[in-house]
Amino acid sequence: MSRKFFVGGNWKMNGDKASLGELIKTLNSAKLDPNTEVVCGAPSIYLEFARAKLDPKIGVAAQNCYKVKGGAFTGEISPAMIKDVGVHWVILGHSERRWVFGETDELIGQKCAHALENGLGVIACIGEKLDEREAGITEKVINAQTKHFADNIKDWSKVVLAYEPVWAIGTGKTASPAQAQDVHDKLRQWVKANVSEAVANSVRIIYGGSVTGGTCKELGGMKDVDGFLVGGAALKPEFVNIINAKQ
C-alpha cells in the first residue's frame, strides 16, 4: 500500500512573529513536493498567526492539548479551541512532554482519545531513552507506549505514529537508517498483531531525532519510514529540503 509521505515541523517553544513570519514566507514561496503532506507545529500563542499566514496546503498542529473540552485547567488548551482557530492537528506524547513535564502513558492516551473524538489528527509520539536502548529494551518501551495510544484509538486514519529515540533529539545524534528501519518495521509488526493488518499497512510511521537536510534522503528511503517529525531544522530554510526528501 502506498502511504503518503508526511513531514511535520515541531517549532517547540521557539520564535516570534518576526522570525516565524520569515520562515512562513520561505515555506510559502518554496517549491514543495506535492506528494508530501506537510504540517507545522506552532506554539499555542501563534497557532492562529501560523494558520492565517501559511499557505492552505500546509497544515498546522498544536504541540499539546488537554483531555477535556474546557474547565478550570489553567494554562491548557482543548481540541475545541484548536479547531476554533482553524487548526486540525495536534502533537501528543512528545518526549519533552513525557520527561520534562511528567506526562504519563495513561494521560497521553486519554488526550489522544479526546483529540480524535473532536476531529483532530494526532501525531502520536513514542521513543526510548538512551539507557533503555543500551539495556536492550527499546522494543518493550515503544510497544508499551504504542499500546496506550492503541487502546484509545478507534479510527486510525487520522493518526500518524512518530518514532523519536529520545537520545537523538537535539543531540545531533541520529539513529542510522538501518536502526530507524528496524524499529519502524517492528512497530508495524506490533500494529499488525495488536490492531489489524489493514491498519499496519496504512498507518504512517515517521522518524524524528535530529533529522537534517543531510540525513533525510537516506532515512526517507527506508521501506517503513514514511516521513519525519523535525525539530531544530524545521526552523531553518533546510526544512524545504527535508520536505522534498523523496524527490
Side-chain angles (χ1 to χ4, degrees), residues 92-94 97-98 103-113 124-125 145 148-149 152:
L92 292 174
H94 193 280
R97 299 303 315 172
R98 294 177 188 271
E103 293 188 6
T104 63
D105 288 342
E106 182 180 23
L107 173 61
I108 293 162
Q110 291 167 344
K111 294 201 293 190
C112 179
C125 301
Q145 292 172 348
H148 277 88
F149 277 120
N152 287 280

Side-chain angles (χ1 to χ4, degrees), residues 232-243:
L235 293 160
K236 302 172 184 173
E238 71 179 296
F239 188 49
V240 172
N241 299 329
I242 298 171
I243 292 167

Side-chain angles (χ1 to χ4, degrees), residues 41-59:
S44 59
I45 199 165
Y46 296 129
L47 284 171
E48 196 162 16
F49 173 81
R51 183 60 286 161
K53 298 290 186 183
L54 273 167
D55 188 300
K57 70 175 181 282
I58 299 173

Side-chain angles (χ1 to χ4, degrees), residues 6-15 20 23 27 39-43 63 91 94-96 123 125 162-166 168-174 206-213 215-216 219 227-240 242-243:
F6 184 103
V7 175
N10 183 6
W11 297 346
K12 305 190 181 182
M13 195 178 75
N14 291 299
L20 295 178
L23 175 64
L27 293 173
V39 175
C40 292
Q63 296 175 14
I91 301 168
H94 193 280
S95 63
E96 290 152 12
I123 301 170
C125 301
Y163 167 60
E164 295 197 304
V166 183
I169 298 172
T171 62
K173 294 180 182 178
T174 307
I206 63 176
Y207 172 77
S210 298
V211 177
T212 67
T215 60
C216 63
L219 281 163
F228 310 110
L229 184 56
V230 186
L235 293 160
K236 302 172 184 173
E238 71 179 296
F239 188 49
V240 172
I242 298 171
I243 292 167

Side-chain angles (χ1 to χ4, degrees), residues 9 39-43 47 59-64 82 87-91 121 123:
V39 175
C40 292
L47 284 171
V60 177
Q63 296 175 14
N64 190 30
I82 292 166
V87 172
H88 297 287
W89 285 91
V90 65
I91 301 168
I123 301 170

